Amino acid sequence: MGRKEISCSWKKNTSNIKEVFDFKAKMGSGSFSDVYMVREKSTGNLYALKCLRKKYLMLSNLENEIKVLRRIKHDNVVKLEDFYESRTHYYLVMELVSGGELFDRILERGVYTEKDASSVILQVLQAVSYLHENSIVHRDLKPENLLFYDTDENAKIMISDFGLSKISDHGVMSTACGTPGYVAPEVLSQKPYSKAVDCWAIGVITYILLCGYPPFFEENETRLFNKIMRADYAFHAPYWDDISESAKDFIKNMMQKNPTQRFTTEEALVHPWITGKTARSQDICQSVCEQLRRNFAKSKWKVSD
């Protein structure tokens, strides 16, 4: 059966990727891909190599991811460095990000405050604002796509996984996609939607960062989607008792049911909770970590591809 090939001028062909890279360690795997830490033989540089098996691949998704990544240059977005093809695989050579996932780092910290959460969300907003300025909508923002650059205590946050992202020059999309729990009401209502879906997801992530559990939780997906479509969430006692009103105000504005009333990234970036004026310094680590362990066991949130 003939296959359509990805055509791009800078793609490199190889009969054996191990002639180009030394494979150091496996970093992760998904249904159709594996990610390895590799060292490029010619330069000695370390990268993350995403190995995608051709026979399982939707080429349109990969083409889209490459097109988006080639357009992006931002300090808080994982860079695509190179692209190889063999007879059986495509290989994305990505900037190496070694600091681990957002939740893992919080669980390891020992001390964690609203100010820490605010700092994370500030960086996410700066990156997403840049994407939106360049007509790119991520469409799948969630905690496991937020990684720390390295293991340094003050490491920056990096946004990864642009498999569902979209270049939307006209501003309106209609394909239902994303991860249940982070998807905006307008997507579930099967209405045309815009970059405001990313702002909703940032609101959901902020909520989780401050209490350790999701704003919408139902075992039954239909009930979950109905709750999201109604924007039916609350700040429950005692988990939210020590969280500032400013943080709650920020979340309410990010999680407005009506996308036209929802904060844009520009509005979010000047909110006092994000600028650091009102985020509290009180340690909330114990309460948040307890809930993270209960609600986000690795098996539940670990879906990488």
Side-chain angles (χ1 to χ4, degrees):
M1 189 175 79
R3 283 189 62 83
K4 178 172 160 275
E5 293 297 317
I6 288 182
S7 59
C8 65
S9 57
W10 51 281
K11 180 180 68 179
K12 298 172 181 174
N13 292 301
T14 179
S15 57
N16 182 3
I17 197 70
K18 291 192 173 173
E19 291 174 356
V20 185
F21 298 101
D22 285 322
F23 282 61
K24 310 296 286 180
K26 191 168 189 175
M27 296 175 71
S29 60
S31 318
F32 315 121
S33 67
D34 296 298
V35 181
Y36 296 91
M37 184 194 296
V38 296
R39 187 185 298 278
E40 189 173 32
K41 292 185 177 183
S42 61
T43 64
N45 292 338
L46 289 171
Y47 296 105
L49 186 71
K50 189 173 182 180
C51 309
L52 300 134
R53 292 183 281 286
K54 279 184 177 180
K55 67 176 177 181
Y56 300 118
L57 208 57
M58 278 190 67
L59 280 185
S60 57
N61 284 4
L62 180 59
E63 278 181 315
N64 178 68
E65 184 170 2
I66 290 166
K67 189 177 169 190
V68 168
L69 286 168
R70 289 288 283 175
R71 196 159 161 169
I72 298 170
K73 281 188 174 48
H74 191 277
D75 272 357
N76 298 102
V77 176
V78 178
K79 281 201 290 288
L80 174 65
E81 304 281 4
D82 225 332
F83 178 46
Y84 284 83
E85 179 184 6
S86 72
R87 191 175 57 80
T88 56
H89 285 74
Y90 288 112
Y91 302 98
L92 299 183
V93 185
M94 307 294 297
E95 178 180 16
L96 182 64
V97 173
S98 57
E101 288 180 19
L102 178 57
F103 285 175
D104 291 337
R105 181 71 73 95
I106 292 169
L107 289 169
E108 289 161 11
R109 285 186 78 116
V111 177
Y112 172 69
T113 69
E114 270 188 42
K115 278 198 186 304
D116 295 321
S118 169
S119 168
V120 165
I121 297 300
L122 168 63
Q123 294 173 73
V124 173
L125 281 167
Q126 287 169 334
V128 174
S129 184
Y130 165 86
L131 297 177
H132 290 178
E133 281 167 18
N134 286 276
S135 304
I136 296 165
V137 187
H138 189 285
R139 300 203 297 184
D140 196 23
L141 290 170
K142 54 186 175 181
E144 56 267 43
N145 288 340
L146 302 178
L147 310 171
F148 282 92
Y149 182 70
D150 56 27
T151 53
D152 186 77
E153 192 182 336
N154 299 311
K156 62 185 177 179
I157 281 283
M158 306 293 286
I159 296 181
S160 69
D161 197 344
F162 283 75
L164 292 178
S165 58
K166 179 86 172 162
I167 297 173
S168 172
D169 294 316
H170 307 297
V172 174
M173 292 147 285
S174 57
T175 308
C177 67
T179 300
Y182 301 91
V183 179
E186 61 270 27
V187 177
L188 296 175
S189 305
Q190 299 180 314
K191 294 175 181 167
Y193 61 88
S194 69
K195 58 192 179 185
V197 298
D198 285 347
C199 293
W200 171 275
I202 294 170
V204 174
I205 293 165
T206 308
Y207 183 103
I208 297 168
L209 285 179
L210 293 175
C211 67
Y213 61 85
F216 308 101
F217 189 81
E218 289 285 347
E219 293 293 349
N220 176 295
E221 201 168 76
T222 304
R223 284 204 294 270
L224 173 69
F225 288 172
N226 283 334
K227 267 193 166 175
I228 294 170
M229 285 191 281
R230 296 195 307 271
D232 178 12
Y233 69 94
F235 299 114
H236 313 98
Y239 309 103
W240 286 88
D241 292 353
D242 294 329
I243 303 300
S244 67
E245 288 305 314
S246 183
K248 294 172 191 170
D249 180 72
F250 175 76
I251 290 166
K252 285 177 194 167
N253 280 294
M254 296 301 279
M255 290 174 62
Q256 278 285 346
K257 179 181 160 184
N258 183 340
T260 63
Q261 292 171 8
R262 199 174 300 152
F263 265 5
T264 62
T265 52
E266 289 81 9
E267 289 170 317
L269 281 164
V270 297
H271 189 277
W273 190 75
I274 290 296
T275 60
K277 289 177 185 156
T278 56
R280 288 182 178 169
S281 304
Q282 184 178 341
D283 186 12
I284 54 172
C285 190
Q286 187 178 347
S287 161
V288 170
C289 288
E290 196 176 296
Q291 290 302 316
L292 281 178
R293 288 190 188 96
R294 183 173 297 170
N295 295 288
F296 293 93
K298 205 62 176 167
S299 59
K300 267 192 186 175
W301 95 63
K302 186 74 173 177
V303 184
S304 64
D305 188 43

